Amino acid sequence: MEQVLSENEEKFRLVFESANVGKSITLPTGEMNVNKTFCEMLGYEEKVLQKLKWQEITPPDEIDSIQSILNLLLSGEKDTARFIKRYIHNNGSYIWADVNVALNRNAQGKPLFFITTLIDITERIITESNLRESEILNKTLVQHLPQKIFIKDVDSVYITCNNKF
C-alpha cells in the first residue's frame, strides 16, 4: 500500500511539475506551492515565490474581487471558478492570466487547498487592446474626412458611412 501511495505521489509530482501551464496548490490563507511554469510566467525563482501569498502578487485593486470568488468556493456555493486576472511580475509589469480554481476538501468537508491553473494571456489582451484602439482611430478618421465615405456588404447593404455621406 505504501509503495502504491509513493508511486501515485510521484506521478502527481511529475504531472504538476511538467505542466506547460502555471499550477499552484494554494492554502485558504494564501500560501502557495507552485510549479516551474508558474515561476517562469511571473519571473520569480521558486524559493522566492514559495514564500509569497497570492495576495502579494495580485494588484491591490483586484484582491477583494478574487477573494469574493474564493469565498464562493469555500462556502460550497461553487465547485470551481474561472476568471481573468492580473498578476504582478517580478519586474513590476502585469501578466494577464486565464485562471481556473477548484477547492479540495477532506472527507469531513473541511477546505484543504485550492488547485489553480493559469494560462498566460497577456499577448492576447495587448492585441485586443491595440485592435480596439485602432478601430476607434479608424472610425474617427473616417467620420472627419471631407469626402463622402460608405461601406456596403456583398448584398449592397450599407454597413457604415461617415457624417459627410
Side-chain angles (χ1 to χ4, degrees):
M1 188 67 141
E2 286 181 28
Q3 181 180 354
V4 170
L5 181 59
S6 177
E7 289 172 1
N8 285 338
E9 287 175 354
E10 180 62 15
K11 286 178 190 174
F12 172 79
R13 189 189 64 73
L14 288 171
V15 168
F16 184 79
E17 286 300 325
S18 66
N20 65 348
V21 295
K23 301 288 281 177
S24 74
I25 298 172
T26 305
L27 298 178
T29 53
E31 292 86 356
M32 303 177 298
N33 182 8
V34 298
N35 72 353
K36 181 180 176 183
T37 303
F38 194 111
C39 295
E40 290 170 354
M41 288 171 61
L42 295 179
Y44 287 92
E45 291 183 28
E46 185 176 353
K47 63 184 177 185
V48 173
L49 200 51
Q50 302 281 15
K51 294 177 184 176
L52 300 176
K53 293 183 176 186
W54 69 264
Q55 296 91 333
E56 296 173 273
I57 56 172
T58 298
D61 60 325
E62 291 185 20
I63 291 174
D64 288 344
S65 63
I66 301 303
Q67 188 61 58
S68 294
I69 294 168
L70 298 179
N71 288 344
L72 292 173
L73 297 170
L74 289 165
S75 70
E77 292 178 56
K78 293 184 84 173
D79 293 326
T80 63
R82 185 173 177 190
F83 49 90
I84 293 175
K85 77 173 289 270
R86 294 177 298 164
Y87 285 91
I88 302 170
H89 191 279
N90 190 31
N91 68 14
S93 66
Y94 291 122
I95 299 299
W96 287 88
D98 182 345
V99 180
N100 189 58
V101 181
L103 179 63
N104 189 294
R105 298 176 182 274
N106 67 13
Q108 292 74 38
K110 178 184 175 192
L112 296 176
F113 54 86
F114 298 101
I115 298 175
T116 306
T117 302
L118 56 131
I119 299 169
D120 185 345
I121 60 168
T122 305
E123 235 178 88
R124 184 185 96 193
I125 296 293
I126 291 169
T127 300
E128 289 172 353
S129 176
N130 290 341
L131 181 59
R132 279 190 300 278
E133 289 175 13
S134 177
E135 287 173 349
I136 290 168
L137 176 61
N138 287 336
K139 286 180 182 180
T140 302
L141 287 172
V142 168
Q143 285 301 329
H144 292 90
L145 286 173
Q147 298 85 8
K148 295 177 183 176
I149 305 288
F150 64 91
I151 300 173
K152 290 183 177 182
D153 67 13
V154 293
D155 297 322
S156 293
V157 174
Y158 288 98
I159 296 173
T160 189
C161 62
N162 68 356
N163 291 335
K164 187 73 171 176
F165 182 78

